[in-house]
Amino acid sequence: MPRPKVGLFVTCLVDLLRPSVGEASHKLIEDSGCDVVVPRAQTCCGQPAHNSGAPESARALARQTIEAFDSCDYVVAPSGSCAGMLRIHYPALFAGDAHWEKRSRDFAARCHELVSFLVNIRGIKSIAAKLAASIAYHDSCSGLRELNIRAEPRRLLSSIEGLRICEIADGETCCGFGGAFCVKYPEISARIGGDKLENVSRTGAGVLLSGDLGCLLHLAGLASRKGSAIMFRHVAEVLAGDLETPAIGEPQR
């Protein structure tokens, strides 16, 4: 039986700021029994334009993305935010355009967030790894509310020998990043993020994981300014066994 062809949607933040997340995602997808391609024609998913009220720009980026991944059986993104844009919002962008609405719906049906893909599509139940650490997991708004992803990362993380998951009080609350929200409303964003960090600190966990790099960058920046000792990593890095890359915000070795 042929191996599925999976297109890795790298995301802007991963490409520019944390390529180790892309490398870890590639490894996890490949290890699940798939062939992985990374189309060079991919750029942004169009979410910033969509959220900023520029639908024509968002549609142009959506067309480019759909065409770049046209030959793939699946499209996987290590981000609930980007995966939500591809899966939920692309069809709405092309409402009334018969050709592109059909193409966008066909495309959306093949799109998945990374950990959801591993668990729900590839049937991965456990990870053969060891890590003696207490971690907390932050559910991003898009992953949780748009894609209903909550159990999947915890299922895989709980299979890692020595790992203890500490649940965050009010864990479903936003971290305050929200893309352009943190730029438009920095004081509110920082206050929400500070409250989230306080709740993470109360768990006693030394590491915060998430499936969205935007949330992690936002919280890591706040933690650094507050002198917090919490470490921040994308869930893909831990699942793939990459602990050599410095945590987000840590100096390069």
Side-chain angles (χ1 to χ4, degrees), residues 3-235:
R3 289 160 62 96
K5 180 181 177 181
V6 176
L8 176 60
F9 186 83
V10 176
T11 85
C12 297
L13 291 180
V14 169
D15 182 36
L16 296 172
L17 299 173
R18 192 74 173 176
S20 58
V21 174
E23 293 163 2
S25 301
H26 190 292
K27 180 182 185 300
L28 289 166
I29 297 168
E30 194 169 58
D31 288 351
S32 77
C34 302
D35 292 328
V36 185
V37 296
V38 186
R40 292 180 65 84
Q42 66 175 297
T43 56
C44 176
C45 68
Q47 187 183 84
H50 177 59
N51 291 346
S52 299
E56 285 304 322
S57 295
R59 277 190 282 270
L61 288 164
R63 292 187 193 98
Q64 179 174 321
T65 302
I66 291 168
E67 290 177 340
F69 289 89
D70 192 49
S71 67
C72 298
D73 298 310
Y74 300 99
V75 180
V76 175
S79 161
S81 179
C82 294
M85 182 68 188
L86 303 177
R87 189 174 175 87
I88 306 296
H89 298 289
Y90 270 20
L93 273 176
F94 294 107
D97 182 332
H99 172 73
W100 279 103
E101 185 172 3
K102 182 182 185 306
R103 284 196 68 178
S104 64
R105 288 192 183 282
D106 291 343
F107 174 78
R110 293 182 281 124
C111 293
H112 302 273
E113 183 271 343
L114 172 66
V115 180
S116 176
F117 174 76
L118 296 174
V119 172
N120 298 326
I121 303 301
R122 300 305 296 161
I124 305 300
K125 294 181 172 60
S126 63
I127 297 291
K130 295 181 181 181
L131 177 61
S134 295
I135 66 99
Y137 191 87
H138 166 65
D139 300 289
S140 74
C141 291
S142 293
L144 181 65
R145 293 173 174 81
E146 289 188 332
L147 302 176
N148 299 313
I149 298 167
R150 189 181 189 281
E152 292 87 346
R154 290 167 174 81
R155 184 177 306 169
L156 294 186
L157 290 168
S158 64
S159 71
I160 296 177
E161 185 178 341
L163 195 71
R164 184 171 72 95
I165 302 174
C166 308
E167 291 295 342
I168 306 168
D170 296 326
E172 296 186 356
T173 304
C174 177
C175 72
F177 174 59
F181 177 85
C182 68
V183 178
K184 292 181 178 179
Y185 308 103
E187 294 86 1
I188 299 174
S189 173
R191 176 62 183 271
I192 296 172
D195 290 345
K196 173 67 71 173
L197 283 176
E198 286 292 329
N199 285 335
V200 174
S201 296
R202 291 191 185 102
T203 68
V207 183
L208 180 69
L209 304 181
S210 181
D212 266 273
L213 190 53
C215 301
L216 290 165
L217 290 167
H218 174 63
L219 291 171
L222 288 170
S224 176
R225 292 190 287 277
K226 291 175 178 291
S228 170
I230 297 170
M231 299 174 69
F232 299 82
R233 290 188 180 275
H234 192 283
V235 65

